[in-house]
Amino acid sequence: MLIELNAPVWAVSACAALAFLPNVFLAPINGVIVDKFKPKPLLISMYVIEMLTIFGLIFIDDLKFLWLLLLIVVVRSMASSLFFHTQTSALPKILSFGALKLANEMTSILWTISYTFGMAFAGIFVHYFGVQMAFIFDFVLYFVAFFVLIRVNLSQIVIAKTKKATSMLKEGIFYLRKNPLVTHFILIHAVVAVTTYDNLVALLAQYRYKEILSASLVIGLINLSRSVSAFFGQIWLSKIVNKTNFVYLLLAQGAAIMLWGALEANFWLSFIGLIAAGFCITTIWSYSFTQLQKACDREFLGRIIAYNDMVYFIVASATSALIGLLYELGLSLKMIMFCMGAVFFVVAGYYVYVKNKYKF
């Protein structure tokens, strides 16, 4: 939509960054809310807010409404974040560790399937029917899924209602200080946010490949390719990933992003690197997230997952902002991708250090 409205680079970068930035400040509060209130009412209320924000996007057809777009992005980001915190903190409270690992892998796979089918049709849909019709169709999908959500039973989860919010917030901070391994897992998991490609893909579509296909088709093909790769990667790698070989997934992810950067000058050839860049990332997400949940006491899950998201969103926001800034300063997209890949090499070394120190 921003590309069709001829939005400047800063607007695309701001939109991408604001999808994550508000949660940097709200994550600690979200954690207290999740640990203090019943999960089902939270899930339903946040879901309704997400539906309404999607409906609001239908009416944005001019750059003069950019302020409204950014506001909608912020509100939707806040709602989806609290929804995610509630969902992911509820699962460990009702599942064993073995079942939790499977649930996280299923979540990752189902997300990838949805993303794959969405991207398979989104580019074509937008190309022929326009952005507004895409938002309308998205709203309908949310409306249908709402009736699945209201049937979910989470009544078995016990909530600590007696504690004050300020006390719970302080407890969460002290818990992190006393459990450094949890903090390390938060930092390791946050590297996934470096693959926040939205701004990068938009720049490729708008400036690099604009003479090849329409922006909507380019964005659709790129995201479709990496999501298909992520789907098969999750299925195959989830069977073999463990604490010993996890470091090789981090190294492989870094090398794959660099390969994508090396090939990005050729649209069709770049798909080799693009597919490689999507192969490991969902497994890195699900395995590192499961390790974080495993290391955390259930009483603090909501707050710790919220702190985890705070760090994740800091990295995601910084990535989106830096991509736009570095590009405007004259750095090529190839070099930007090389920098993104190098981050995974650094985190791989960090993971080895943590593993050897704590012997987990």
Side-chain angles (χ1 to χ4, degrees):
M1 179 176 67
L2 288 172
I3 291 172
E4 287 185 1
L5 296 177
N6 294 316
V9 172
W10 71 263
V12 178
S13 298
C15 190
L18 285 175
F20 308 106
L21 192 60
N23 300 292
V24 173
F25 305 101
L26 293 175
I29 300 173
N30 287 351
V32 173
I33 293 173
V34 169
D35 282 338
K36 192 172 179 63
F37 297 98
K38 292 182 178 180
K40 189 169 181 178
L42 278 177
L43 290 171
I44 292 176
S45 57
M46 293 305 105
Y47 196 88
V48 170
I49 291 174
E50 283 197 72
M51 288 176 58
L52 294 176
T53 55
I54 292 172
F55 187 74
L57 291 171
I58 297 170
F59 304 100
I60 299 175
D61 56 2
D62 193 282
L63 274 182
K64 66 182 181 181
F65 296 117
L66 180 60
W67 65 271
L68 178 59
L69 171 62
L70 297 179
L71 177 62
I72 288 174
V73 169
V74 169
V75 173
R76 185 182 181 188
S77 174
M78 293 164 58
S80 63
S81 175
L82 187 51
F83 184 95
F84 176 77
H85 292 162
T86 307
Q87 174 193 349
T88 51
S89 63
L91 287 176
K93 295 175 182 177
I94 59 177
L95 298 174
S96 65
F97 174 68
L100 178 62
K101 181 177 181 296
L102 178 60
N104 284 335
E105 291 171 353
M106 289 177 63
T107 299
S108 182
I109 289 173
L110 288 170
W111 180 90
T112 306
I113 291 174
S114 300
Y115 197 80
T116 299
F117 278 100
M119 286 301 169
F121 296 108
I124 298 173
F125 192 99
V126 172
H127 182 74
Y128 287 104
F129 300 104
V131 172
Q132 269 64 38
M133 282 301 299
F135 289 142
I136 292 173
F137 187 67
D138 197 20
F139 176 80
V140 172
L141 290 177
Y142 265 78
F143 185 77
V144 172
F146 175 77
F147 292 97
V148 177
L149 175 61
I150 60 176
R151 295 175 62 87
V152 174
N153 181 16
L154 296 173
S155 59
Q156 67 270 46
I157 296 178
V158 178
I159 303 299
K161 294 183 178 180
T162 57
K163 295 184 179 180
K164 294 182 179 180
T166 53
S167 175
M168 293 178 70
L169 184 61
K170 292 178 181 178
E171 283 182 359
I173 296 173
F174 288 139
Y175 181 81
L176 276 179
R177 291 180 180 177
K178 293 179 180 179
N179 296 270
L181 182 59
V182 173
T183 303
H184 289 307
F185 279 131
I186 287 175
L187 296 175
I188 291 168
H189 179 74
V191 73
V192 178
V194 174
T195 61
T196 305
Y197 296 137
D198 293 11
N199 197 16
L200 178 63
V201 171
L203 290 173
L204 286 169
Q206 188 172 7
Y207 297 105
R208 196 63 167 172
Y209 307 136
K210 62 181 180 180
E211 305 298 332
I212 299 175
L213 294 171
S214 68
S216 59
L217 290 178
V218 169
I219 293 172
L221 282 173
I222 289 177
N223 287 327
L224 170 62
S225 299
R226 67 188 180 95
S227 60
V228 169
S229 175
F231 169 72
F232 287 106
Q234 177 72 71
I235 291 177
W236 293 334
L237 294 175
S238 64
K239 299 175 183 178
I240 61 173
V241 63
N242 55 50
K243 61 184 180 182
T244 301
N245 60 28
F246 180 69
V247 63
Y248 299 114
L249 295 187
L250 293 171
L251 293 172
Q253 181 64 36
I257 296 175
M258 289 182 175
L259 177 62
W260 182 20
L263 300 175
E264 62 86 23
N266 186 307
F267 177 66
W268 301 109
L269 196 60
S270 69
F271 280 91
I272 297 174
L274 185 59
I275 291 171
F279 193 74
C280 298
I281 196 61
T282 52
T283 307
I284 292 173
W285 181 92
S286 62
Y287 185 79
S288 60
F289 195 71
T290 301
Q291 291 302 307
L292 172 62
Q293 291 172 314
K294 179 184 176 182
C296 180
D297 294 321
R298 294 190 175 191
E299 179 186 354
F300 294 91
L301 274 168
R303 280 160 284 181
I304 297 306
I305 289 174
Y307 297 142
N308 174 69
D309 266 18
M310 180 176 66
V311 177
Y312 184 97
F313 289 133
I314 289 173
V315 176
S317 301
T319 299
S320 296
L322 281 172
I323 288 173
L325 176 62
L326 293 174
Y327 185 76
E328 288 196 319
L329 290 176
L331 198 66
S332 67
L333 293 176
K334 176 181 178 179
M335 289 307 301
I336 292 174
M337 292 181 193
F338 269 71
C339 291
M340 294 168 71
V343 173
F344 281 87
F345 286 95
V346 174
V347 174
Y350 175 57
Y351 174 79
V352 172
Y353 163 76
V354 173
K355 181 176 177 295
N356 291 336
K357 182 176 181 179
Y358 293 93
K359 307 297 182 183
F360 61 83

